[in-house]
Structures are given as structure tokens and as C-alpha cells.
Amino acid sequence: MGSSVNMNFGRNIDPNTNAITFSQTMGNGYWISSSINIFQGMVKRNSIRFNNYLLSASREEALVLRNKLIFQILTSYYTVLYSYGLVDVAKNQATLSKTQMEHMQKFVKLGQKSPLTVQELKSQWATDKLSLVRAQNALSKTLLELKQLLRLDAGHAFAIDTSTTTSFLIAPEANVDSIYHEAIKKLPEVKQKQYLYSASWKDLSMAKGYISPNLYLSTGYGTNYFNGAQMNFTQQIKINQNQWIIMGISIPIFNNTSISSRIKRKTIALDNRKLELEKQQETLYSEIWKAVDELKSAEKEYQSSIELCKFSELTLKNISVKLDKGIASTTDYEIAKQRYISAKATLLKARLIYIMHKQMLEFYRTGNWNHLYLKK
């Protein structure tokens, strides 16, 4: 809608007689109009679908970032669990040294052992206490990193649930192809690329739509007022009304070169989106293949660690008995103890790695980390 004022000087038309006059005249016009494209090569419909696909891709991107953050928190959480485990191992190590030293002191009082043996055991106990302090400091550092990821204050106290690793079942053998076919339908990384690929199709369709003629319909209403006419303003507004309906067609003729160039660019962009989708699918298959292989390796390492820990504990008990009988030195005892402590740490690490790989495969199956919140 709009309005205009026209001032005419010199030769013009007298509004009263329609004769030629050289007097100054003024005209005031008012109008309202509207138009609609009846057909334009489906450009607007494809534009709507194009933006819908972009919106869906943005939502999937938000899920990708959310999953990455959860994975970072999960990794930090298992690092904290590992640090807790190392503290327990260090405490056990210090307790063993203290117990053995106190046990040996009894033999010294009875005159059956040399005081030098007790001194050596005290030195080992001091070393183990230092290892415990270092393990506790490492735990504090990993807790701080987890708090930072959770956006918690440094002084905020919270408990860590360690029951998630106390018991678990060995997962059945996973099939790479079956997990891949599930993941490709659910993972937001793949769905995002699929939406972007579909959006490129609609973008190309829009470019092709500009080749088609544009059929449009326009309608409007207008009126005028002329200064100096015999009728007043209201009478002129009523008498001078006019309405119109226009149907037209616009055919592109001289812009074929620019349209053709635009279509070629959109075609190249579509091919790039297709390559990105295929690359994402190939990367996903490789990741799942690697995850399945790592799960199998972690399971074997975990089973071997159990056996190693059992035999290391048995060896330590045997060395302790030999130390009491005087047929083993404190050095032999320290070596056996370190092997046992190392076996326990290795078992803890193998257990956590196995659980992590197992949860990673569950993520590929479901496309999210919701299984972490579900109580088994």
C-alpha cells in the first residue's frame, strides 16, 4: 500500500474539463496491491525443504557435540576410577610393608632375625607411603579435571560411584556388520551428513527452478484526488476508484549463463556432500571394526591379568613364608611385592579398558549414551 503527491507545472490536463492547461495542478493518489507467484519452478517449496534439512542437520550437530562432551566426561570419570584404584593399590602396598615389618620385628626381639632386615623393611615401607601420597595427589588432580568438565566449583564435594566396575558380564562376540547397520541409522554424525546431502539436492533443485518461466497474479485497488476540481476530497476519492487484476508470465532470456553457472556450482556442492557422507560412513565402519577388535583384545588382556594377579599373590605369600624361614631376602620380598602390586594395577586398568570399549560399542548400537543412565 502507498500514497503519492504529484505537482504539475506547465502543460498538463485540467481535471475538470480534461482540456490542456498551463496552470499548476496537484494530484494525490492512494493504492493497495498484492501479488503472488503461481508457479516459479518449485523454487519456494524447495527453499522450504532446503531450510528444513538444514535445521535438522543443526539439531544433529547439537547431538554430536553433546555426545562428545559426554564422552569426555566419561573418559574423565574412568580416569578418576583408575586413580581411586591406584590409591587402593598403594594403600594395600603400604599395609603389606607395614605388616611384614611388624611381623619381622617380633623375630628380631626373639633374636631370630637381624635388625638390618627390619631397617630394610622400614625403608620399603617409607617408599610405599611416598607412593601412596603420589597416588592421592594424582587422584586429586583427576577429580579437579572432572569437576571442571562438570562446571563445578573446585570446593564442591561430590561422591564417585565406583560400583559400575565391581561386577560386569563378558559381552558376547560382536559382529561388525550388524553393529554398523544399526549405527548408520542412529548416529547423529551420519544423520547430519545425510540431511546436508538432502539439503544440497534441494539447493540444486532451486537453482534449476530459475530456468522455468515465472507465472504470477497481481491485484490492486487505487483512487486519486486532484486539486482544483469542482468536487471535494471525499467525492473524488469515491468517483476516482479503480481496481485491477493482472496475470503475467516472466520468461528468463538473457540470464541463462548465470543460471547455468549457478547450477554447475550447486552440482559440485552436491557431489562434495555425497563424498562427505560416504567418507563418514567409511570412517564409521573403520571405527566400529577397530572397536570390536579392541574389545576382543581387552577381554583377552583382562583374562590374562586375572591369572597374573592370582599367581603374583601366590608368589608373594610363598616369598613371605621363605622370608620368615630365612631362605629369602628382603630384596626377594620387595620384588615379589612389586610384581603383585603391578599385577593388581594391570588388572584394574584392563578391567576399566574393557568396560570402556564395551560401552563404546553400545553407543554405536544406540547412537547415544542413554544406556549409562539406565539401571541394569
Side-chain angles (χ1 to χ4, degrees), residues 41-56 195 198-199 201-203 205-206 210:
M42 308 294 288
V43 171
K44 291 188 180 296
R45 177 171 294 185
N46 287 325
S47 176
I48 293 173
R49 293 178 179 176
F50 168 76
N51 287 287
N52 283 335
Y53 283 129
L54 290 183
L55 176 60
S56 298
Y195 283 129
S198 299
W201 265 115
K202 294 305 174 183
D203 199 16
S205 298
M206 281 193 293
Y210 287 106

Side-chain angles (χ1 to χ4, degrees), residues 331-375:
T331 303
D332 296 331
Y333 175 77
E334 177 65 16
I335 292 174
K337 185 185 66 174
Q338 291 297 333
R339 286 178 178 175
Y340 171 63
I341 295 302
S342 177
K344 289 192 67 175
T346 301
L347 177 61
L348 172 65
K349 183 178 180 180
R351 187 185 190 91
L352 292 176
I353 289 177
Y354 177 81
I355 295 175
M356 191 68 181
H357 287 312
K358 182 181 176 182
Q359 291 184 344
M360 196 67 197
L361 283 183
E362 191 65 24
F363 167 75
Y364 285 129
R365 287 191 179 99
T366 60
N368 56 61
W369 294 101
N370 293 341
H371 59 279
L372 297 175
Y373 320 125
L374 301 177
K375 295 183 178 180

Side-chain angles (χ1 to χ4, degrees), residues 114-356:
S114 171
L116 294 177
T117 303
V118 177
Q119 291 299 324
E120 290 177 359
L121 291 175
K122 282 185 177 180
S123 176
Q124 293 175 9
W125 181 33
T127 302
D128 294 339
K129 287 192 292 185
L130 177 60
S131 298
L132 175 59
V133 172
R134 289 174 176 173
Q136 290 172 338
N137 291 337
L139 173 60
S140 299
K141 181 180 179 181
T142 55
L143 278 173
L144 178 60
E145 291 173 353
L146 179 58
K147 287 180 181 180
Q148 290 174 344
L149 280 175
L150 295 174
R151 301 296 189 268
L152 298 177
D153 295 333
H156 184 84
F158 70 107
I160 298 295
D161 183 11
T162 59
S163 62
T164 55
T165 61
T166 54
S167 62
F168 66 94
L169 298 176
I170 298 296
E173 185 173 353
N175 182 270
V176 177
D177 291 333
S178 61
I179 296 177
Y180 170 74
H181 289 305
E182 292 179 14
I184 203 172
K185 299 176 183 177
K186 299 177 181 178
L187 276 184
E189 291 90 338
V190 180
K191 294 172 70 175
Q192 179 193 15
K193 299 298 182 183
Q194 290 172 341
Y195 283 129
L196 291 176
Y197 178 58
S198 299
S200 292
W201 265 115
K202 294 305 174 183
D203 199 16
L204 176 60
S205 298
M206 281 193 293
K208 292 180 178 180
Y210 287 106
I211 298 177
S212 302
N214 178 21
L215 182 63
Y216 61 92
L217 177 67
S218 177
T219 182
Y221 163 85
T223 186
N224 293 283
Y225 165 77
F226 296 99
N227 184 32
Q230 296 177 354
M231 292 178 289
N232 58 30
F233 178 82
T234 303
Q235 291 174 330
Q236 288 193 56
I237 291 296
K238 290 181 179 180
I239 293 177
N240 294 332
Q241 294 180 18
N242 66 308
Q243 301 85 26
W244 66 89
I245 296 177
I246 301 173
M247 178 176 285
I249 184 170
S250 174
I251 302 175
I253 297 176
F254 295 106
N255 60 344
N256 286 338
T257 302
S258 61
I259 293 177
S260 178
S261 176
R262 184 176 183 181
I263 291 175
K264 290 179 180 178
R265 292 196 303 269
K266 300 303 180 182
T267 301
I268 294 173
L270 177 63
D271 292 337
N272 289 335
R273 290 298 187 188
K274 183 179 180 181
L275 290 175
E276 290 177 1
L277 176 59
E278 292 175 350
K279 183 178 179 180
Q280 181 65 53
Q281 292 172 344
E282 292 175 359
T283 301
L284 176 62
Y285 190 85
S286 299
E287 290 177 354
I288 294 175
W289 192 352
K290 181 179 178 181
V292 171
D293 184 67
E294 289 178 343
L295 180 64
K296 293 178 181 178
S297 300
E299 180 182 351
K300 294 178 182 178
E301 185 175 347
Y302 174 66
Q303 297 293 352
S304 299
S305 299
I306 294 176
E307 186 177 2
L308 175 62
C309 189
K310 181 175 66 174
F311 285 111
S312 298
E313 183 179 10
L314 181 60
T315 301
L316 179 62
K317 291 180 180 179
N318 293 334
I319 292 295
S320 299
V321 174
K322 290 181 179 181
L323 183 63
D324 294 342
K325 294 180 180 180
I327 58 178
S329 65
T330 55
T331 303
D332 296 331
Y333 175 77
E334 177 65 16
I335 292 174
K337 185 185 66 174
Q338 291 297 333
R339 286 178 178 175
Y340 171 63
I341 295 302
S342 177
K344 289 192 67 175
T346 301
L347 177 61
L348 172 65
K349 183 178 180 180
R351 187 185 190 91
L352 292 176
I353 289 177
Y354 177 81
I355 295 175
M356 191 68 181

